[in-house]
């Protein structure tokens, strides 16, 4: 592989990509650029207060972006078949790490949830990193569902179940729900029988209800969602402050960097509620522009899925689109009070290297599918040119003979 391709601005092959691949690449880079600008604004006050350096989180995020972009460019230039051949190994690795987080002393806790493993100064969050590989393996399994034995089917369904149970045990209900819905939608797109899909959906809802019933903090979040103003300084505090931020943005916003709620009123403003800061600074108009960006990404993702040359590629495109756009909409729904408070980051906006790596790898997979689909279409177009060349040579030969 040409090492210059690891750096986006030096990748000269981009001009030969399909239109959808080039548009998705530019859309991803714009999404990333806007996210970095927003993180700079949202994280500056808290970074200055905690570390006496307003750029502390921003500089660390830039390092993660550089690492993630290298992975992104490897993915877009690597055949999808090779990536699929490695996906199950990464899935099993991160599954093992998910259960390592549950071991006292090894798992790093934050907000009463053990979701990280500290490797020196680097925090690893396996529940984030596993997402793109969960999409790949789900697409691979359901894409050849009719051609594999029940033993293999049940083995991988059991592994998927362990992934969801491990994430739920951390506890991390929101990520469990997102991963479960992504797998379910990939299975639906693959055409699995409705009796399997229906039973799985009912089981998933029952598991979520059971988790909310057992975990007191989850139950309080759901109750505060219905009426956050009943306890504005307690359980409803996060949502109340988020709604104040969104409402303060009005039509055009307060202006970049001028959010008031990020000044230690809105908690976790650089991760779980970064959209609230965005809405306050850029208003209704800016929020609609972001939604249009997400809608464009989703539309391109569906176009790529429709043009995919085989079922597995189609399912990868659908899974990635669901993951990226679905997680974004869930985050926005939480910040605007449309959904109960969860801990889902906004892809490429929220602070966190694990989320950044997972997001750019997922975007790279979608672009890779777009590239391979277009390459399959280009091959037949060369046949008329070859035939015309043969006809021209035959015509010239006949003239010489005459």
């Amino acid at each position: 592989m040409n090492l210059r391709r690891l750096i986006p601005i030096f990748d000269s092959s981009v001009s030969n990509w399909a239109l959808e691949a080039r548009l998705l690449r530019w859309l991803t880079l714009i999404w990333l650029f806007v996210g970095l600008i927003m993180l700079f604004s949202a994280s500056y006050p808290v970074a200055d207060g905690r570390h006496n350096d307003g750029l502390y989180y921003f500089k660390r995020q830039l390092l993660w972006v550089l690492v993630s972009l290298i992975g992104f460019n490897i993915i877009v230039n690597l055949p999808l078949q090779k990536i699929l051949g490695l996906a199950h190994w990464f899935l099993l690795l991160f599954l093992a790490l998910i259960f390592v987080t549950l071991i006292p002393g090894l798992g790093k806790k934050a907000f009463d949830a053990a979701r990280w493993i500290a490797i020196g100064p680097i925090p690893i969050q396996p529940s984030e990193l596993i997402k793109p590989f969960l999409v790949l393996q789900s697409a691979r399994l359901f894409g050849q569902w009719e051609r594999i034995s029940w033993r293999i089917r049940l083995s991988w369904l059991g592994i998927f179940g362990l992934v969801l149970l491990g994430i739920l045990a951390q506890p991390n209900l929101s990520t469990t729900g997102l991963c479960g819905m992504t797998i379910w939608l990939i299975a639906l797109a693959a055409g699995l029988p409705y009796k399997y899909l229906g039973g799985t959906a009912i089981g998933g809802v029952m598991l979520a209800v059971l988790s909310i019933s057992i975990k007191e903090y989850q139950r309080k979040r759901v109750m505060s969602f219905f009426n956050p103003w009943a306890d504005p300084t307690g359980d409803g505090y996060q949502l109340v402050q988020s709604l104040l931020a969104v409402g303060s943005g009005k039509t055009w916003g307060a202006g970049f960097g001028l959010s008031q709620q990020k000044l230690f009123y809105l908690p976790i403003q650089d991760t779980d509620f970064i959209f609230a800061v965005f809405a306050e600074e850029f208003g209704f108009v800016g929020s609609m522009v972001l939604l249009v960006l997400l809608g464009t990404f989703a539309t391109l993702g569906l176009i790529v899925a429709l043009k995919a040359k085989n079922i597995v590629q189609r399912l990868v495109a659908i899974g990635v689109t669901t993951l990226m756009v679905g997680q974004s909409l869930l985050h926005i729904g939480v910040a605007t009070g449309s959904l109960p408070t969860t801990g889902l980051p906004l892809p490429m906006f929220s602070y966190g290297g694990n989320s950044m790596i997972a997001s750019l790898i997922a975007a790279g997979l979608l672009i890779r599918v777009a590239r391979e689909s277009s390459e399959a279409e280009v091959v037949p177009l060369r046949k008329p040119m070859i035939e015309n060349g043969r006809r021209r040579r035959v015509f010239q030969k006949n003239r010489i003979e005459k």
Side-chain angles (χ1 to χ4, degrees):
M1 180 183 292
N2 189 345
L3 293 179
R4 290 167 64 86
R5 290 188 176 186
L6 299 180
I7 306 173
I9 59 174
F10 294 133
D11 192 350
S12 59
S13 67
V14 174
S15 59
N16 299 322
W17 294 4
L19 176 62
E20 292 85 3
R22 282 181 280 136
L23 288 175
L24 281 167
R25 179 179 179 272
W26 276 111
L27 203 60
T28 300
L29 294 177
I30 291 170
W31 190 349
L32 175 62
F33 179 71
V34 175
L36 284 173
I37 291 175
M38 199 60 242
L39 178 68
F40 170 80
S41 174
S43 66
Y44 195 94
V46 68
D48 188 49
R50 293 175 183 171
H51 304 283
N52 295 320
D53 180 6
L55 298 176
Y56 179 81
Y57 294 120
F58 181 72
K59 289 185 292 187
R60 289 170 67 90
Q61 189 78 338
L62 282 179
L63 293 175
W64 282 113
V65 167
L66 293 175
V67 172
S68 303
L69 283 176
I70 292 174
F72 170 83
N73 278 273
I74 290 174
I75 293 293
V76 298
N77 288 293
L78 197 64
L80 187 65
Q81 195 62 37
K82 288 186 178 180
I83 302 171
L84 286 166
L86 296 172
H88 63 287
W89 294 113
F90 282 99
L91 179 67
L92 294 174
L93 170 64
F94 291 126
L95 172 60
L97 292 178
I98 285 171
F99 281 96
V100 169
T101 64
L102 304 177
I103 301 174
L106 295 179
K108 184 180 177 182
K109 280 198 171 187
F111 304 106
D112 295 324
R115 302 174 186 174
W116 291 267
I117 302 170
I119 301 178
I122 302 175
I124 302 297
Q125 189 177 0
S127 59
E128 279 292 323
L129 297 174
I130 202 172
K131 289 176 182 177
F133 301 104
L134 201 58
V135 168
L136 286 169
Q137 191 57 31
S138 299
R140 190 181 182 190
L141 174 68
F142 298 128
Q144 50 186 356
W145 184 262
E146 298 297 333
R147 300 194 302 272
I148 57 177
S149 66
W150 269 105
R151 182 179 62 82
I152 297 175
R153 293 178 187 176
L154 293 176
S155 297
W156 278 110
L157 290 176
I159 291 173
F160 292 160
L162 286 175
V163 170
L164 298 180
L165 289 174
I167 298 174
L168 186 63
Q170 290 182 335
N172 192 344
L173 180 61
S174 55
T175 301
T176 304
L178 176 65
C179 292
M181 286 188 292
T182 302
I183 295 172
W184 191 88
L185 287 171
I186 291 173
L188 176 66
L192 262 67
Y194 289 121
K195 60 182 179 180
Y196 300 149
L197 296 171
T200 305
I202 293 171
V205 172
M206 292 178 62
L207 186 63
V209 171
L210 178 63
S211 177
I212 293 171
S213 302
I214 295 174
K215 303 291 183 181
E216 184 179 359
Y217 86 96
Q218 291 178 354
R219 188 166 60 252
K220 287 182 177 179
R221 282 185 175 183
V222 173
M223 297 305 296
S224 65
F225 160 71
F226 291 111
N227 186 11
W229 304 99
D231 188 11
T233 60
D235 295 330
Y237 181 76
Q238 288 181 329
L239 183 52
V240 166
Q241 297 303 316
S242 181
L243 292 174
L244 288 173
V246 173
S248 298
K250 298 183 180 178
T251 304
W252 296 101
F256 176 66
L258 299 179
S259 167
Q260 296 299 308
Q261 289 301 113
K262 71 181 181 183
L263 302 177
F264 303 100
Y265 296 105
L266 177 65
I268 329 178
Q269 73 268 37
D270 55 338
T271 52
D272 296 353
F273 285 94
I274 195 169
F275 176 78
V277 180
F278 177 86
E280 184 179 2
E281 295 190 351
F282 294 97
F284 175 78
V285 173
S287 300
M288 291 306 297
V289 170
L290 179 60
L291 288 175
V292 168
L293 184 147
L294 293 175
T296 305
F297 190 93
T299 302
L300 287 171
L302 292 177
I303 291 173
V304 169
L306 291 173
K307 288 187 174 182
K309 63 181 181 180
N310 62 54
I311 183 65
V312 175
Q313 290 186 349
R314 184 176 300 119
L315 295 179
V316 170
I318 291 172
V320 168
T321 304
T322 300
L323 186 65
M324 294 288 288
V325 179
Q327 181 169 328
S328 300
L329 293 178
L330 288 173
H331 176 101
I332 292 171
V334 168
T336 55
S338 304
L339 295 170
T341 301
T342 62
L344 281 175
L346 182 58
M348 289 188 276
F349 269 62
S350 298
Y351 173 72
N354 294 276
S355 176
M356 182 63 69
I357 291 173
S359 298
L360 282 175
I361 286 178
L365 289 171
L366 184 58
I367 294 171
R368 184 64 211 175
V369 173
R371 288 190 63 189
E372 293 195 7
S373 300
S374 68
E375 287 167 3
E377 293 176 357
V378 169
V379 172
L381 296 179
R382 294 176 181 173
K383 290 182 180 178
M385 296 176 64
I386 295 172
E387 291 174 0
N388 289 337
R390 288 175 179 171
R391 289 173 185 170
R392 195 177 297 114
R393 287 195 297 271
V394 170
F395 177 73
Q396 291 173 349
K397 182 178 179 181
N398 290 337
R399 289 186 62 184
I400 293 170
E401 291 175 351
K402 289 179 180 179

